[in-house]
Structures are given as C-alpha cells and as structure tokens.
C-alpha cells in the first residue's frame, strides 16, 4: 500500500519508511506523485496543522497521506513557541536565532520546564483519519550544548539521559523523542487499521 508523506523533508521519509516498512507500506514524497503544495498551517494545535497538511495532500494525490506537526512548548513562555516553533520570531531567522530568542525570553527565569510535542495525522481517501501524539518532557538549558540535530535541539535538555537532544546519538534520541513516541503509537494505530482491528 502506498502512502504519501505530506512533507518536503527527505529525512522524514527515511525515518517513516524504517518504522512502517515491515507493515508492507511504501512511503513516497509528494514530488514522487506530482504534488507540490504549500499548505497554510492555520491550526491552533499540532493536531489541527497535521490534519490540514494530510488532508490537502490526500485530496491532491488520491492516496492516503501522512503529515506531522511538531514543536517546542515552554511553560514560562505560556506554551510558546508552540505551533509557531518553525516560524518563531518571524521571517529571516535561522535555527540559532530562534533558540536564542527562547533563551533570552527565559533570562532570569528559574522555571525552565518545557516539552517537545509531535502530532501525526494520516488521512485516507475513504474519509478515515488516524492520529497519534507523542511528547518528551524536559527543560531549557542555560546555553546551547551539542552538535547534532537541528532547530531547538541544542537547548532542549532531557533529564532522563542528562543530555540535550543535540548531544544524543540518533539511537538515544529515537528512544526518548516526541517524534519517536508519536511514530510508535501511529505504527500501532496503522497496523490495527490495516488488519481491520482498529477501533
């Protein structure tokens, strides 16, 4: 069965294919099926944004489409950057500018609690929809640490491993990450759906 990933990120397809491959599922990029959409992410939650992307690509391709939306939620910033994580601070900023903005917003702040959230949605031409959510609790470091990862990874500290996301190996990150947890739940949902046992 073929699924379209509602993303232009080739890293995500490798990850999805690795997780879903043993279900007999083939995951392809939008470009592989001649779709090139820029979907407005107007949702107020990660789930809404994932659903907007998945539904638009499903309608354009006629195939089941999988999308994810994820971001960082910082308690002392009222949950920001949240759904605006990729656009935090406006246009023209890069990853470093964005995490520096978070750090400056927390200057003098003792409450550093934060979590990474990932929501996955799969929309089928039949109208069926599967969703899964994963969260990784942690805190915001006082300064960036580590060379791996991207985005807010250098400032997101996970007490369980005593490392930031950017200090972890890919294997360590997959064990604890919000996306890893969401993908594991999604795989279970999809397996149930394909076997006809999904509720």
């Amino acid at each position: 069965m073929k699924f379209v990933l509602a993303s232009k990120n080739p890293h995500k397809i490798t990850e999805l294919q690795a997780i879903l491959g043993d279900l007999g599922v083939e995951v392809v990029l939008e470009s592989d099926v001649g779709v090139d959409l820029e979907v407005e992410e107007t949702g107020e939650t990660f789930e809404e944004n994932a659903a907007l992307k998945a539904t638009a690509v499903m309608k354009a391709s006629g195939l089941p489409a999988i999308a994810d939306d994820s971001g960082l939620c910082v308690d002392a910033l009222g949950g920001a950057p949240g759904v605006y994580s990729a656009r935090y601070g406006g246009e023209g900023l890069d990853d470093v500018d964005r995490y520096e903005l978070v750090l400056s917003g927390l200057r003098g702040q003792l409450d550093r609690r934060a979590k990474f959230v990932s929501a996955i949605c799969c929309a089928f031409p039949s109208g069926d929809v599967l969703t899964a959510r994963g969260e990784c609790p942690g805190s915001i470091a006082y300064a960036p640490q580590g060379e791996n990862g991207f985005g807010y990874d250098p400032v997101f500290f996970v007490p369980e491993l005593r490392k930031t996301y950017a200090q972890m190996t890919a294997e360590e990150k997959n064990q604890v990450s919000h996306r890893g947890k969401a993908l594991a739940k999604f795989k279970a949902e999809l397996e149930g759906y394909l076997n006809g046992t999904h509720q």
Side-chain angles (χ1 to χ4, degrees):
M1 191 171 188
K2 191 180 280 192
F3 287 74
V4 185
L5 175 62
S7 169
K8 301 190 172 43
N9 185 336
H11 297 297
K12 288 188 180 177
I13 197 138
T14 311
E15 190 178 17
L16 261 184
Q17 194 64 67
I19 288 170
L20 301 181
D22 59 351
L23 297 184
V25 164
E26 182 194 357
V27 186
V28 298
L29 285 168
E30 294 174 29
S31 53
D32 295 331
V33 291
V35 172
D36 184 15
L37 291 178
E38 281 300 330
V39 180
E40 278 285 317
E41 295 182 23
T42 53
E44 291 181 11
T45 65
F46 297 111
E47 283 82 0
E48 286 175 12
N49 280 336
L52 285 169
K53 290 187 275 191
T55 304
V57 171
M58 177 272 293
K59 286 179 175 167
S61 66
L63 293 165
I66 301 169
D68 83 309
D69 194 50
S70 52
L72 177 68
C73 303
V74 181
D75 286 15
L77 299 178
V83 293
Y84 304 107
S85 290
R87 311 182 288 283
Y88 193 49
E91 295 299 315
L93 298 190
D94 63 13
D95 287 352
V96 175
D97 295 329
R98 288 196 185 89
Y99 72 61
E100 289 287 356
L101 197 56
V102 168
L103 291 176
S104 66
L106 291 180
R107 200 162 286 133
Q109 180 65 250
L110 294 177
D111 180 3
R112 317 286 293 186
R113 288 173 302 163
K115 64 183 176 184
F116 256 121
V117 178
S118 174
I120 296 174
C121 177
C122 182
F124 293 87
S126 63
D128 292 340
V129 174
L130 301 179
T131 55
R133 180 184 176 102
E135 295 187 2
C136 178
S139 61
I140 301 300
Y142 285 89
Q145 298 166 51
E147 302 298 321
N148 303 328
F150 57 92
Y152 299 95
D153 288 3
V155 297
F156 185 71
F157 182 80
V158 180
E160 199 180 319
L161 295 180
R162 304 202 57 74
K163 292 179 179 179
T164 67
Y165 264 8
Q167 292 173 302
M168 295 178 193
T169 63
E171 291 71 30
E172 286 174 327
K173 190 175 171 186
N174 285 342
Q175 282 170 6
V176 299
S177 85
H178 52 302
R179 293 195 66 234
K181 290 174 183 172
L183 283 167
K185 285 184 191 170
F186 174 67
K187 180 180 181 178
E189 291 257 339
L190 184 60
E191 195 165 12
Y193 180 84
L194 296 175
N195 294 336
T197 57
H198 180 263
Q199 297 305 309

